Amino acid sequence: MDRIGVVDTMFACIDMGSIAERRLSELEGYGERFEVVRRTVPGFKDLAVAARRLIERDGCAIVVACGMPGGADLDEMCAHEASQGIMMAQVLTGTHILEVFVHMREESDPDKFATLCHNRVADHALNAYRMLYAPEELRKRAGQGIRQGGEDVGPLAV
Ligand code: RDL
Ligand code: RDL
Ligand code: RDL
């Protein structure tokens, strides 16, 4: 059976990994064609190695890496570093690791933040699935200004 990896953090204030797991469990082939392997690490700087291990040791074909940068400038700087680590892990393994970061700065209202987080994680979980099993679904959306979590920007009228 194929494996899709999900890794999230204790630092996040929302259980992002469970949102990803739930979304994946709704998709065709769950439990038959693919299963989900879940890990949790302390914070987003620990995601890159966890994702690499999910790929190299646990045989995951793609990984969804969920993190929540805190609201301070320091956290935003750390987010950039964590992101570079995740990119390095993608290049080293030659395998996609979808980075799902939801920055605490993006939305100050707690309810709206929770909705944004839920939607971004679910959207990237679906993206991971489509990258493996339905790449034509991505192709259909090329150049369409697609976003995860918020409103799509849409294509530029030319
Ligand atoms: O390796 C142990 C920690 O350094 C690591 O878990 C960090 O990712 C923790 N962390 C910070 O140290 C920090 O300054 C996190 C954040 N900010 C953050 O904004 N979000 C995190 N972790 O997930
Ligand atoms: O791995 C999943 C996503 O993290 C990845 O697709 C990012 O490239 C998506 N993305 C951002 O997260 C972002 O903050 C993009 C932009 N900004 C951007 O400006 N342009 C993009 N992607 O193509
Ligand atoms: O224009 C508002 C947002 O789209 C913009 O700020 C994005 O950069 C927000 N964003 C992130 O900050 C991020 O870390 C997005 C992603 N990741 C992402 O994966 N997908 C998005 N936005 O659509």
Side-chain angles (χ1 to χ4, degrees), residues 4-27:
I4 297 179
V6 171
V7 57
D8 72 348
T9 68
M10 299 196 297
F11 191 103
C13 303
I14 292 175
D15 182 354
M16 300 172 79
S18 291
I19 298 169
E21 280 192 293
R22 215 174 303 125
R23 185 70 188 98
L24 289 165
S25 74
E26 294 163 0
L27 298 169

Side-chain angles (χ1 to χ4, degrees), residues 23 30 37 47 51-52 69 74 91-92 98 102 117 134 136-137:
R23 185 70 188 98
Y30 177 74
V37 184
L47 290 170
R52 187 177 179 186
L74 178 65
V91 173
L92 284 170
L98 293 192
V102 184
C117 179
E136 68 282 2
E137 292 296 327

Side-chain angles (χ1 to χ4, degrees), residues 1-2 28 31 37 41 43 51-52 54 71 76 82-83 86 93 95 101 107 121 126-128 134-135 146:
M1 184 147 33
D2 293 343
E28 197 184 330
V37 184
V41 293
R52 187 177 179 186
L54 280 168
E76 283 299 319
S83 186
I86 290 169
T93 58
T95 302
F101 280 5
E107 176 56 62
V121 174
L126 179 60
N127 284 339
I146 303 293

